[in-house]
Amino acid sequence: MKDAFWKYIVIASLVGALVVIAFLQFNAKRSISNLINGNEQALNEFKNATLLEKLRSDILTVESQIRGMVITKNASHISDIEKKIFAVKTDLEQIEKSIFDKSTEKQAQQLRYLVDEKLHFSQKILDEFYLNGKTAAENVINTNRGKRLTDSILKLTDEIEEAKQVQVSGLLHSNDSDSANAANSSIWLAMISGIALFLASVFVILRLNSQSKLIKELDESHRRERQAIELKEQFMANMSHEIRTPMNAIIGFTNILQKGKLDKIQSQQVSAIQTSGENLLTIVNDILDFSKIEAGMMRLESAPFSLRGTLQDIEMMFHEKVRLRGLNLQVNVAPELPDIFIGDAVRLTQILVNLISNAIKFTEHGIISVHVSNASGNDVKLLNDNTEKRVNLHFEVQDTGIGIPKEKLDVIFDRFRQASSDITRRFGGSGLGLSIVKNLVELQNGSIEVTSSPGKGSSFIFNIPFLMADKQFRIDNKSTEDDSFNTLNTEVAHIEGVKILVVEDNILNQDLMRQLLTSWELNFTIAENGKTAIDYLKKEPFNLVLMDIQMPEMDGYTTTKKIRADLKLQTPIVALTAHALAGERERCLSAGMNEYFPKPIREEQLRTLISRFVKLDTFEIYDAPPKFRSNTPSVLAVQSIGKSGGQGADKQLPPNKNGKKTNKVLNLTYLQDISKGNTDFITSMLQQFSAQMPAEIAELHNAISIPDFTLIKALAHNMKTTVAFVGLDKSLHPPLDLIENAALKQDISTIQQAFDKVKTLCEKAMNEIWK
Ligand code: ADP
């Protein structure tokens, strides 16, 4: 308020000063031009005075020359008398031109008359002299007429001159005042300019000050906003982790319970817990997604994915549910569509899963169909310099369910809105699903609409433009439908050309990858750290990089950043990292990775993952359980817990060295799953474990005795992967997490305690292996 007051004062003064300066400038200019005029006039008057003086002197000269000649009778006195007379006439003409105007016409006539008379009289003396001699001429002179004429001329010219003198002095006086005026104006001008300059400077300084204050405030609020967003992001990541983990455990355990011996009522109760748990997880996921979208934190990925593979996964996911409900799910992709697109397959899956879930939920009998085609007919939009091609994919999810009343069609995409109030009672749900779907479609530059007739069914239609990958893969001996890719001039590669780079320092993990990738007959190379990975990538192209995060020499984040920034490679990179810390996914994605998976990765997950980034039908080499393979992280997590059986359950442990079963600390379900019960592989992994574990324990022990906290943290983190293979993750991840966190705080006593626990358990595990 105070600032604004001063601002207006300064601006008003400045404007005032400018007006005064303009006035003074005008005044000074006028005085100076008056001064110039006055000076010119004064100069003229001086010239006129000189002219009058010359006339007087020329008349007197004529008179004295004639008198001299008469007295001396010597004609030499008048040798140039004609010239002098002419001079007098010229003087008179000039005087008439420059001195007289209308107001002095009388004086002019008088002067002309007197001068003419005087010349006439002089001529008369000369004539008398020549005709009648000296005496006659003297008689004429003595009439005194000549003298009177001369006196009259002198008097008249004096009068004229005097009048002019008065004018000149008036002019000089006004010149004086004009020059004083101009001088004053200059002084005022200088003074006021000075003041204006001062005020302008004050104004500018005030503005600069307030601007720099504003900039500081803006910076500060921007920083706070960023901090708040980061905090919120962190909070969301933590929330999602914290809520999903126990939920997954609940659902996982109900899975295990279902498989056990239950009577009918117990089985119904467990089913109820499971359904409620799944519903709750969906609602939690919806709310988290929704708040992410609201906060503008929903990040879209851009990576190659197989359209048909994604749809197959989704179909598989609903297979059982649809069967149980006696419905029919038909998924169909227009044959002319290419298969590999670049975009966010997870979000696309989420949209379709939501729409199909609704369709199943609201359909009692009949068919649910999903059809994908090109929204613009056979058109492929060429972008940039024709190297990029975009296809506007058209998805239609149609059902033969209860339908939606016409008046509700507009509101069902609003958050928390359901078609009717008894929907919640009958079907449950939060009313968030379609709002998230709409947001996700729009985030991907698409649009969605719905048509429905109550009692007959509904149809949800959405279009999303996706970039086509420039490499399309196709399956051998299955050419007919895919040949149309060629019409799009797309480079066709075969699965044999696919090569995967595994960046992993942990030998156990390397062995595991080797086992899996070899069994799928996939071409791969293992790099033991980021630096080696970069060397490999410089030499040859890979289709996918599976990247560990914590590694010696160069960690996964740095390696990814270098691959993106220095090598300028867009190769998909997937992080595979031990025990997910909250926010880890976001960190990986912001480092430039395309996807993130927590270790220990399961075989099915790895297959789905690879199929998302390279092509996948060829993967059917291996007899995968016909359960769903999904891209949706939460479902994957449920699945993984369900399959692993969870800690504390009655596990089927593999034979140890003596072929006996044991239920002590070791749990080999994971190795069994992965190897499909291949005992050689399990034995070799156990050998590897027992060779690696004591070394890792010794290294950690050394690092603690120094203590080198950075090393402690890295070693503890790494150990998590090793122990997970033999089912020690549930018992050892908590103390290892404790060590990691305590290393950050440099809390050596906590580290020591946790280390003792780790060491004891590991020793116990080793004993079990070698027993
Ligand atoms: P909800 O979690 O309640 O299912 P949604 O946002 O997914 O929330 O759906 C909002 C409402 O739209 C539903 O409650 C239902 O009334 C209606 N709806 C959505 N899909 C269908 C469908 N396929 N058939 C009939 N009604 C539907």
Side-chain angles (χ1 to χ4, degrees):
M1 188 65 210
K2 217 175 135 194
D3 269 9
F5 172 77
W6 280 112
K7 197 172 86 186
Y8 290 126
I9 291 281
V10 170
I11 291 177
S13 315
L14 249 175
V15 172
L18 287 176
V19 171
V20 174
I21 287 174
F23 171 74
L24 286 174
Q25 182 70 24
F26 171 75
N27 205 25
K29 206 178 161 201
R30 207 183 51 185
S31 300
I32 288 168
S33 78
N34 283 351
L35 194 63
I36 293 168
N37 279 343
N39 281 342
E40 272 174 10
Q41 277 185 36
L43 200 68
N44 273 343
E45 294 315 326
F46 283 124
K47 274 189 199 160
N48 293 341
T50 317
L51 278 176
L52 287 172
E53 189 53 48
K54 189 164 180 286
L55 176 72
R56 281 196 291 255
S57 114
D58 285 343
I59 287 174
L60 288 175
T61 310
V62 170
E63 188 179 328
S64 75
Q65 280 182 353
I66 291 174
R67 281 186 182 207
M69 190 225 32
V70 171
I71 292 165
T72 59
K73 284 195 193 170
N74 183 351
S76 68
H77 284 285
I78 56 160
S79 58
D80 60 348
I81 196 73
E82 290 300 319
K83 244 188 191 170
K84 291 289 172 197
I85 288 172
F86 183 73
V88 169
K89 284 180 180 168
T90 318
D91 290 345
L92 185 64
E93 271 169 19
Q94 276 186 359
I95 287 168
E96 281 179 332
K97 251 190 234 157
S98 64
I99 297 182
F100 298 116
D101 51 24
K102 272 206 170 138
S103 64
T104 49
E105 208 169 318
K106 239 183 161 182
Q107 281 181 321
Q109 280 173 1
Q110 226 179 330
L111 186 63
R112 169 157 289 282
Y113 168 77
L114 288 173
V115 172
D116 284 350
E117 276 305 298
K118 178 70 189 173
L119 292 178
H120 190 68
F121 184 72
S122 300
Q123 192 61 49
K124 200 176 166 190
I125 296 172
L126 283 177
D127 291 348
E128 270 312 305
F129 180 78
Y130 288 122
L131 291 174
N132 304 321
K134 182 184 176 213
T135 317
E138 279 174 348
N139 286 341
V140 176
I141 292 169
N142 290 339
T143 58
N144 268 351
R145 178 166 165 75
K147 190 172 177 296
R148 278 198 309 275
L149 279 170
T150 304
D151 288 348
S152 297
I153 289 170
L154 290 181
K155 196 174 163 230
L156 184 60
T157 52
D158 277 351
E159 275 170 20
I160 293 169
E161 204 173 333
E162 236 164 69
K164 289 286 163 192
Q165 284 284 299
V166 173
Q167 256 183 28
V168 168
S169 78
L171 267 175
L172 289 178
H173 183 71
S174 111
N175 276 3
D176 282 353
S177 84
D178 279 337
S179 65
N181 205 354
N184 282 346
S185 289
S186 310
I187 291 167
W188 278 109
L189 210 64
M191 268 166 54
I192 290 174
S193 302
I195 292 170
L197 201 70
F198 172 74
L199 288 175
S201 315
V202 169
F203 182 68
V204 169
I205 290 168
L206 278 178
R207 297 295 301 163
L208 281 178
N209 273 351
S210 72
Q211 255 174 22
S212 74
K213 217 168 111 191
L214 254 169
I215 289 169
K216 258 190 211 151
E217 279 170 11
L218 256 173
D219 279 354
E220 178 59 19
S221 77
H222 189 62
R223 194 186 61 77
R224 275 205 222 117
E225 190 188 357
R226 261 203 334 254
Q227 209 175 28
I229 289 176
E230 270 165 27
L231 268 176
K232 201 167 170 188
E233 210 164 326
Q234 189 65 37
F235 173 74
M236 302 274 274
N238 286 342
M239 265 265 287
S240 111
H241 186 75
E242 297 306 326
I243 296 175
R244 280 177 193 165
T245 310
M247 282 313 301
N248 286 335
I250 292 170
I251 297 166
F253 280 122
T254 55
N255 265 335
I256 297 162
L257 279 176
Q258 289 278 28
K259 285 176 195 146
K261 275 188 193 138
L262 298 174
D263 62 32
K264 205 174 162 199
I265 296 191
Q266 283 172 329
S267 169
Q268 279 170 357
Q269 288 168 340
V270 172
S271 276
I273 299 177
Q274 193 173 19
T275 319
S276 310
E278 276 166 7
N279 286 345
L280 186 55
L281 194 63
T282 312
I283 293 173
V284 166
N285 283 338
D286 278 358
I287 292 175
L288 287 171
D289 278 344
F290 188 75
S291 38
K292 266 194 164 186
I293 290 172
E294 288 274 280
M297 281 160 30
M298 182 61 86
R299 286 187 205 171
L300 289 178
E301 287 163 34
S302 182
F305 69 93
S306 153
L307 176 64
R308 289 174 181 81
T310 306
L311 283 159
Q312 242 175 44
D313 288 344
I314 296 172
E315 192 179 0
M316 208 77 94
M317 188 192 298
F318 287 107
H319 188 271
E320 196 59 12
K321 203 169 179 181
V322 168
R323 195 183 62 79
L324 288 175
R325 302 245 351 214
L327 296 167
N328 189 351
L329 173 63
Q330 295 175 351
V331 179
N332 167 293
V333 179
E336 69 275 9
L337 277 181
D339 191 43
I340 311 291
F341 290 93
I342 296 167
D344 195 326
V346 174
R347 300 300 163 206
L348 176 62
T349 306
Q350 198 177 348
I351 294 167
L352 286 165
V353 165
N354 250 304
L355 294 179
I356 299 170
S357 297
N358 275 350
I360 296 174
K361 189 156 97 175
F362 297 110
T363 305
E364 292 281 332
H365 321 278
I367 301 168
I368 287 142
S369 75
V370 180
H371 181 70
V372 192
S373 58
N374 184 344
S376 348
N378 273 339
D379 249 25
V380 171
K381 205 171 176 184
L382 293 174
L383 305 165
N384 299 334
D385 51 353
N386 292 354
T387 51
E388 282 193 324
K389 300 170 188 113
R390 180 170 288 162
V391 180
N392 196 9
L393 287 185
H394 174 88
F395 297 83
E396 180 165 5
V397 179
Q398 210 170 8
D399 64 52
T400 51
I402 60 168
I404 304 160
K406 207 171 172 203
E407 68 278 9
K408 298 287 178 188
L409 284 178
D410 285 343
V411 298
I412 54 163
F413 289 108
D414 294 351
R415 56 187 125 144
F416 307 114
R417 293 297 283 269
Q418 297 181 315
S420 72
S421 53
D422 76 337
I423 290 273
T424 325
R425 205 168 9 90
R426 282 175 59 202
F427 302 99
S430 61
L432 271 179
L434 285 180
S435 163
I436 293 173
V437 163
K438 188 166 193 268
N439 275 296
L440 289 177
V441 169
E442 286 170 357
L443 270 174
Q444 297 175 79
N445 302 318
S447 59
I448 184 163
E449 56 186 52
V450 57
T451 55
S452 183
S453 26
K456 285 190 180 158
S458 317
S459 173
F460 286 84
I461 298 164
F462 67 95
N463 292 348
I464 297 181
F466 282 103
L467 271 186
M468 252 176 75
D470 47 355
K471 277 200 171 186
Q472 298 286 336
F473 300 94
R474 70 172 180 190
I475 313 135
D476 289 335
N477 309 325
K478 201 178 167 200
S479 57
T480 43
E481 61 179 48
D482 294 336
D483 269 353
S484 49
F485 299 168
N486 292 329
T487 59
L488 301 170
N489 276 340
T490 310
E491 187 186 333
V492 177
H494 293 269
I495 192 74
E496 295 88 60
V498 172
K499 201 155 180 205
I500 295 172
L501 179 63
V502 179
V503 193
E504 174 63 75
D505 64 316
N506 187 305
I507 296 177
L508 273 173
N509 254 330
Q510 290 180 359
D511 284 349
L512 169 73
M513 286 297 180
R514 211 171 272 125
Q515 155 86 10
L516 289 176
L517 299 177
T518 312
S519 75
W520 295 333
E521 295 175 6
L522 276 172
N523 217 339
F524 65 93
T525 303
I526 292 181
E528 69 273 15
N529 62 46
K531 266 197 175 149
T532 330
I534 286 185
D535 290 342
Y536 280 126
L537 281 163
K538 277 183 186 162
K539 277 187 225 141
E540 55 177 319
F542 287 87
N543 301 81
L544 175 66
V545 181
L546 300 175
M547 178 79 74
D548 187 22
I549 294 297
Q550 292 250 349
M551 286 178 291
E553 298 274 347
M554 191 188 283
D555 68 19
Y557 302 121
T558 319
T559 314
T560 304
K561 282 181 193 156
K562 280 193 183 298
I563 293 174
R564 298 287 185 243
D566 300 348
L567 306 191
K568 307 246 178 302
L569 287 178
Q570 289 311 313
T571 317
I573 302 176
V574 176
L576 301 180
T577 170
H579 182 59
L581 285 174
E584 186 92 15
R585 180 171 206 272
E586 281 70 16
R587 272 191 78 190
C588 289
L589 297 186
S590 62
M593 299 185 203
N594 302 71
E595 188 47 284
Y596 157 91
F597 267 97
K599 282 198 271 196
I601 193 154
R602 311 238 148 226
E603 179 215 339
E604 273 182 40
Q605 290 175 350
L606 188 60
R607 274 157 45 108
T608 311
L609 178 87
I610 297 176
S611 64
R612 255 184 68 197
F613 290 98
V614 276
K615 164 73 192 179
L616 289 316
D617 310 59
T618 32
F619 257 173
E620 304 300 338
I621 357 171
Y622 195 75
D623 185 23
K627 292 233 172 158
F628 51 80
R629 298 180 292 133
S630 142
N631 289 328
T632 315
S634 63
V635 182
L636 282 175
V638 172
Q639 179 72 353
S640 74
I641 291 219
K643 286 205 74 199
S644 68
Q647 192 63 23
D650 189 18
K651 289 155 227 112
Q652 292 286 307
L653 294 179
N656 67 4
K657 223 175 118 215
N658 302 322
K660 282 189 207 152
K661 287 193 176 182
T662 172
N663 59 355
K664 294 185 184 167
V665 288
L666 282 182
N667 173 0
L668 304 186
T669 320
Y670 178 70
L671 285 180
Q672 266 201 321
D673 268 4
I674 284 278
S675 66
K676 296 251 170 293
N678 178 340
T679 340
D680 288 347
F681 175 71
I682 298 175
T683 312
S684 98
M685 289 294 273
L686 287 177
Q687 277 170 348
Q688 184 62 50
F689 175 81
S690 34
Q692 199 169 314
M693 208 59 229
E696 286 189 20
I697 292 275
E699 270 183 83
L700 187 55
H701 179 76
N702 267 346
I704 293 173
S705 56
I706 299 173
D708 178 341
F709 292 106
T710 322
L711 189 62
I712 295 174
K713 186 174 178 296
L715 289 171
H717 186 89
N718 236 4
M719 205 180 266
K720 285 198 235 167
T721 315
T722 317
V723 299
F725 284 108
V726 291
L728 288 174
D729 46 342
K730 289 281 152 63
S731 45
L732 280 186
H733 278 183
L736 286 169
D737 280 343
L738 208 61
I739 296 180
E740 271 196 73
N741 286 332
L744 279 179
K745 294 182 205 142
Q746 311 212 333
D747 171 0
I748 195 76
S749 75
T750 308
I751 293 178
Q752 193 65 57
Q753 276 172 16
F755 172 71
D756 290 344
K757 197 170 170 193
V758 172
K759 197 174 155 210
T760 317
L761 266 168
C762 281
E763 278 164 1
K764 212 168 163 203
M766 307 282 285
N767 285 336
E768 284 176 23
I769 291 173
W770 294 108
K771 226 183 339 191

